Amino acid sequence: NSEDVRCKCICPPYKDHSGHIYNKNVSQKDCDCLHVVEPMPVPGPDVEAYCLRCECKYEERSSVTIKVNVVLL
């Protein structure tokens, strides 16, 4: 289920850009700043420095298990 996987990138403030959290449904191998952060808030020369500050994590969950637990509680 595509809603059960995501990549979450937390990017702190950089120069005059505020911090932001980005989520996108991508494969585990594409879980990085370049694939998840859209639109890129900084111009070309600053992309590498901006992305190095971002922390990206691949997350999986079972929505069926979550729904069952909610019903039982």
Side-chain angles (χ1 to χ4, degrees), residues 12-69:
Y14 177 77
K15 293 188 177 179
D16 59 341
H17 300 281
S18 61
H20 195 76
I21 297 174
Y22 299 89
N23 293 301
K24 190 171 183 183
N25 292 338
V26 295
S27 66
Q28 190 168 6
K29 70 177 183 67
D30 289 335
C31 185
D32 59 39
C33 174
L34 294 175
H35 289 98
V36 176
V37 177
E38 290 180 356
M40 186 62 67
V42 296
D46 287 333
V47 169
E48 185 176 359
Y50 181 80
C51 281
L52 286 173
R53 298 169 57 87
C54 296
E55 182 180 337
C56 297
K57 293 182 181 178
Y58 184 75
E59 300 175 341
E60 293 183 74
R61 66 180 184 179
S62 172
S63 58
V64 173
T65 302
I66 294 168
K67 289 175 186 175
V68 168
N69 284 332

